[in-house]
Amino acid sequence: MRIAHLTWSFDYGGVENMLVDIINEQVKFCDVRLYIINDYYNKALLKNIDSKVKIILFNRKPGSKNVIPLAKLNFSLFSFSPDLIHCHQGNLIKALWFSWRKVLTIHNTFCPSAYFSHYQRLFCISNAVKDYAESQGFPNSVVIYNGIHTQNIDVRDSRQDTKGDKLKVICIGRLHPDKGQRILVEALNHLINSQQLTGITCDFIGDGDDRAELGKMTDLYHLTEHIKFFGFKSREWVYSHLKDYDLFVLPSVSEGFGLTLAEACAAKLPVITSDLAGPLEVIAGGRLGIIFKHGDSMDLADKLYQFTIYPVNKSIIEEAYNFSKTHFDVTQTAQQYILQYKELVNIQNKSLH
């Protein structure tokens, strides 16, 4: 089976990391190519892709009206003759000039639905996203959870205990208002400056448009000794360092799933997440972590404070670890996609006879 994965850009983020993992699994069984239209891509991330995957770059300027890169894209696809094109943004349909089989993964609950009808099958990364697709008039989408390499994640020593107000927090993700890092900084400001819990530190892993604003907030609240920004770190770094922390926080105000949350659970790290439907699925409806009201920095501060007094029960951490390994391993994700591809191809082939 020949599979073409298509994306506008390929920078560091949850979608791109997930796609690297899926492609690397699928190439074990299929002929896989990755097509990147725009000249916005992370070379370091591309190096993580299996050498058997052919990567085709078109270096189009985002927003360009030049049709030459799109002509080259369609000619390349025509030459490859894929059984199926897997798109990762809905509006990619505008770049495709021929009637190939096309499927779309919907990665969040705010993806514009105008293009959904152009795809032969819609995949959703969580039941929360499926509910969104259904609300837009597309009830037949298929849920396939994002996956991670659970076996590659170093596990935290269960004997590590949070003592008193000593708390080492990690937050991983693209620095963007949707990801809620400002909420976490506000909560830390309250705990450290108002509640005098001066033993709390937080490391932000990731980069993005909100980096400058988060830095200004950190300076304004005099938290530079407590908050550190480490920028982009490789998957290998993340997987080997999650175990060094006491607590993982996902403060998103908009989130379709929460891949980093699954990774933290697979490291046996206690987690706090906002009460969005997608992240709650990762922790069994909220049962396997601590929940705060999304967008509410004071509620997050309260949950952080409570954690310093009453850490999460070790049995819950163990259950979250097993839940992550059972439900979110990338080998299962890749295989589920392949099964769906084959089913779609077989259905359409039969309809032609």
Side-chain angles (χ1 to χ4, degrees):
M1 174 170 275
R2 296 183 299 276
I3 307 300
H5 285 275
L6 182 61
T7 181
W8 288 112
S9 58
F10 204 76
D11 197 14
Y12 177 74
V15 174
E16 289 80 0
N17 276 311
M18 177 273 300
L19 186 50
V20 168
D21 289 340
I22 288 176
I23 287 174
N24 286 345
E25 286 296 320
Q26 290 183 343
V27 79
K28 298 174 183 177
F29 311 98
C30 305
D31 185 356
V32 180
R33 295 189 180 184
L34 173 63
Y35 293 80
I36 304 174
I37 299 175
N38 289 339
D39 63 353
Y40 188 65
Y41 51 86
N42 187 307
K43 292 180 180 178
L45 194 59
L46 290 181
K47 289 180 181 178
N48 292 332
I49 295 177
D50 192 298
S51 60
K52 294 191 292 294
V53 177
K54 186 172 182 179
I55 302 171
I56 301 97
L57 307 173
F58 297 97
N59 293 306
R60 171 185 176 271
K61 297 295 181 185
S64 170
K65 298 185 183 300
N66 185 356
V67 300
I68 292 177
L70 299 185
K72 289 180 177 179
L73 164 69
N74 283 272
F75 178 77
S76 179
L77 285 167
F78 190 83
S79 299
F80 180 42
S81 187
D83 293 295
L84 180 141
I85 299 175
H86 191 153
C87 297
H88 295 274
Q89 292 95 15
N91 62 354
L92 281 164
I93 197 73
K94 297 187 297 183
L96 298 173
W97 297 350
F98 300 97
S99 56
W100 288 290
R101 291 187 194 90
K102 300 172 291 291
V103 300
L104 171 69
T105 292
I106 309 172
H107 292 280
N108 53 58
T109 55
F110 53 86
C111 177
S113 61
Y115 302 102
F116 289 1
S117 62
H118 295 279
Y119 294 92
Q120 282 71 54
R121 189 154 295 180
L122 300 174
F123 299 117
C124 297
I125 63 170
S126 67
N127 284 301
V129 175
K130 180 178 173 61
D131 290 343
Y132 166 72
E134 185 167 354
S135 74
Q136 300 300 302
F138 299 89
N140 298 319
S141 59
V142 177
V143 174
I144 298 181
Y145 285 122
N146 283 346
I148 57 177
H149 283 291
T150 56
Q151 75 278 6
N152 294 343
I153 301 175
D154 290 349
V155 176
R156 182 176 181 267
D157 189 337
S158 62
R159 292 170 294 184
Q160 286 179 245
D161 286 318
T162 305
K163 298 178 180 178
D165 69 346
K166 299 294 183 182
L167 185 64
K168 191 175 181 183
V169 176
I170 185 170
C171 180
I172 304 172
R174 178 170 54 95
L175 303 184
H176 186 276
D178 286 346
K179 296 299 182 180
Q181 290 97 352
R182 297 185 191 184
I183 306 298
L184 180 50
V185 172
E186 293 283 1
L188 293 169
N189 172 46
H190 177 74
L191 289 172
I192 294 166
N193 291 321
S194 297
Q195 299 296 321
Q196 303 302 309
L197 298 182
T198 57
I200 299 178
T201 62
C202 181
D203 292 346
F204 286 95
I205 310 300
D207 212 340
D209 297 340
D210 221 23
R211 171 64 181 87
E213 181 60 29
L214 291 166
K216 289 178 183 177
M217 293 176 67
T218 301
D219 291 340
L220 176 66
Y221 297 143
H222 307 289
L223 295 176
T224 54
E225 294 301 313
H226 300 271
I227 294 176
K228 303 296 181 186
F229 296 94
F230 285 85
F232 166 77
K233 291 292 183 181
S234 69
R235 179 73 64 82
E236 291 74 22
W237 187 95
V238 171
Y239 281 11
S240 63
H241 285 81
L242 278 169
K243 62 177 174 51
D244 300 330
Y245 292 85
D246 300 310
L247 180 67
F248 175 88
V249 177
L250 184 74
S252 299
V253 295
S254 177
E255 190 75 59
F257 180 68
L259 201 66
T260 54
L261 189 63
E263 291 170 340
C265 290
K268 293 191 178 181
L269 192 61
V271 299
I272 293 180
T273 180
S274 56
D275 60 355
L276 300 171
L280 290 183
E281 284 185 57
V282 181
I283 53 172
R287 186 169 52 83
L288 303 178
I290 301 169
I291 306 164
F292 76 96
K293 182 175 176 55
H294 68 278
D296 190 334
S297 62
M298 292 303 293
D299 191 33
L300 176 54
D302 180 63
K303 295 304 193 299
L304 287 165
Y305 176 72
Q306 291 296 324
F307 180 81
T308 64
I309 303 172
Y310 308 110
V312 175
N313 188 287
K314 288 184 174 63
S315 64
I316 292 178
I317 295 171
E318 190 70 27
E319 191 175 349
Y321 166 77
N322 290 323
F323 190 83
S324 184
K325 288 178 71 69
T326 301
H327 291 85
F328 310 124
D329 191 274
V330 72
T331 56
Q332 298 178 42
T333 303
Q335 282 298 322
Q336 288 179 56
Y337 274 123
I338 291 174
L339 289 173
Q340 288 289 324
Y341 299 161
K342 289 180 177 178
E343 179 184 297
L344 180 60
V345 169
N346 288 337
I347 289 172
Q348 294 199 338
N349 284 342
K350 287 179 181 178
S351 68
L352 296 175
H353 295 289

